[in-house]
Amino acid sequence: MKQSSTLTHHNKILLVAATALFLAPGSWAISLRAGSSHSSIHDCGAAPTYANARPKNYADSRTEFFNTTSKKTEAVIFRAGDVIDFECLPGFSTDGSKEGSTVFQASCTESGYFKPSGVCVEASKCGPVPNITHALPTGKTVSGAVEFACSTGYSLDGENVVEGGLGKNRFFTLKCVEFSGSYEAFEGECKPYAFVASGETQRLYNELGRALFIVSCKGSLKTAFANGEIPSSIDNVCNGFEDSSAACKSLVSKIKSDFSSELDARKQHDEEANKDWYEEKEPNRPGIGEEATEFCTELWALLEL
């Protein structure tokens, strides 16, 4: 498998997370693969609750069930990929019209939360609720008006939405004007906020990932050097570099050689100096700093090929 030339945000985070394990002293057996994306899959738990709706099948609404195999009462757990059918309560539909659909589904995602395909809105004489760009109805009614919310990444004023707050710059309402049979016009706009061009975002992620990797890699090498022994499992570092395996092995061979020669030089220096302790930064005392920086920098460069 050829390594991706551009690491995604998700892969970059995985790479940094793997680095922390891979570079821990005595734990060099983790291989680094720039293209891997082994994310953990979470369960969603019991069925969610939505305003003005209920699970279509009663069994889906239960939070516990009796397991005939274990002979115990156990919690109901929906897993990634499971889908629950919901139905609107009488007087509600998914589009707010009296003739509209009254069913929708909620899917359990791999991230551990349910994603509904719709909401239930009180049916009115005005028919279906209007389509608002970058906004959706929440299913709630506020003082007789249908509540809407700007989509994720959008707000009424173009400013960040404070999570857990009142959502004043995200929520708005539209009333059904019954004598005209239509909803009042939406005078505002859901504007994007915190927008960064995708190319710039990718560049920032790459720079952050590179910096974190090199700092962690170099720090672990220096810690191992201080302990006087290079981890034997460093030979496994190149397991994930299929296309760049030869170049990676060359780097590992060089850092092992540098490690050994610098250790010997430090031992000789310490014997000649005949000191019981050393300052944290002894300028003339041999170390692995420069060699570690070179190794970690070039290893990262291979990941980006």
Side-chain angles (χ1 to χ4, degrees):
M1 179 180 71
K2 185 176 182 179
Q3 287 129 332
S4 172
S5 60
T6 304
L7 296 178
T8 64
H9 175 205
H10 178 61
N11 285 338
K12 188 71 70 179
I13 295 302
L14 287 175
L15 179 59
V16 174
T19 300
L21 293 174
F22 159 73
L23 292 170
S27 180
W28 286 69
I30 301 296
S31 64
L32 291 175
R33 264 202 305 261
S36 66
S37 58
H38 301 294
S39 59
S40 57
I41 299 177
H42 303 280
D43 297 328
C44 293
T49 58
Y50 298 111
N52 314 313
R54 62 192 172 201
K56 193 172 183 179
N57 300 314
Y58 172 73
D60 290 337
S61 66
R62 301 177 62 181
T63 57
E64 295 180 332
F65 76 103
F66 182 74
N67 189 322
T68 56
T69 302
S70 66
K71 306 299 182 182
K72 295 180 180 179
T73 299
E74 300 179 2
V76 172
I77 298 177
F78 289 93
R79 308 188 188 283
D82 289 344
V83 177
I84 303 175
D85 292 322
F86 279 81
E87 62 182 1
C88 296
L89 299 179
F92 295 83
S93 67
T94 57
D95 66 357
S97 68
K98 294 182 178 182
E99 299 80 20
S101 174
T102 58
V103 296
F104 66 94
Q105 294 181 325
S107 304
C108 175
T109 69
E110 293 185 354
S111 298
Y113 65 87
F114 284 98
K115 185 176 181 179
S117 63
V119 296
C120 292
V121 181
E122 186 174 9
S124 72
K125 294 181 180 179
C126 291
V129 295
N131 291 320
I132 306 298
T133 304
H134 305 309
L136 291 170
T138 65
K140 297 180 180 180
T141 301
V142 180
S143 300
V146 178
E147 182 183 66
F148 287 77
C150 292
S151 303
T152 302
Y154 292 82
S155 66
L156 296 172
D157 55 7
E159 299 294 332
N160 286 348
V161 174
V162 179
E163 296 298 331
L166 298 177
K168 292 183 178 180
N169 64 336
R170 184 188 179 199
F171 298 105
F172 60 93
T173 59
L174 295 178
K175 282 188 176 182
C176 169
V177 184
E178 293 192 3
F179 75 88
S180 66
S182 60
Y183 283 91
E184 60 183 347
F186 177 47
E187 303 294 343
E189 177 187 359
C190 286
K191 307 173 184 178
Y193 65 84
F195 173 77
V196 179
S198 59
E200 178 66 8
T201 300
Q202 186 65 59
R203 184 187 68 79
L204 292 174
Y205 282 137
N206 285 347
E207 288 186 359
L208 175 60
R210 178 180 182 276
L212 289 175
F213 178 87
I214 293 175
V215 168
S216 182
C217 173
K218 181 180 176 181
S220 295
L221 276 172
K222 292 177 71 175
T223 298
F225 186 83
N227 293 331
E229 184 177 356
I230 190 168
S232 59
S233 53
I234 191 175
D235 292 319
N236 296 324
V237 167
C238 300
N239 287 350
F241 291 80
E242 297 183 8
D243 292 348
S244 307
S245 178
C248 179
K249 290 178 180 178
S250 177
L251 286 178
V252 171
S253 177
K254 185 175 185 302
I255 191 63
K256 289 172 67 177
S257 175
D258 291 340
F259 206 97
S260 297
S261 61
E262 290 300 321
L263 270 181
D264 290 341
R266 170 169 286 195
K267 289 178 182 178
Q268 182 178 351
H269 173 273
D270 291 352
E271 290 174 358
E272 293 176 354
N274 193 27
K275 295 174 65 174
D276 295 328
W277 61 276
Y278 292 88
E279 297 289 344
E280 183 176 349
K281 294 183 179 180
E282 184 90 13
N284 298 322
R285 195 181 187 210
I288 198 71
E290 292 183 6
E291 293 81 359
T293 299
E294 180 183 357
F295 170 76
C296 298
T297 301
E298 293 189 14
L299 185 61
W300 176 264
L302 291 181
L303 284 168
E304 294 189 303
L305 291 179

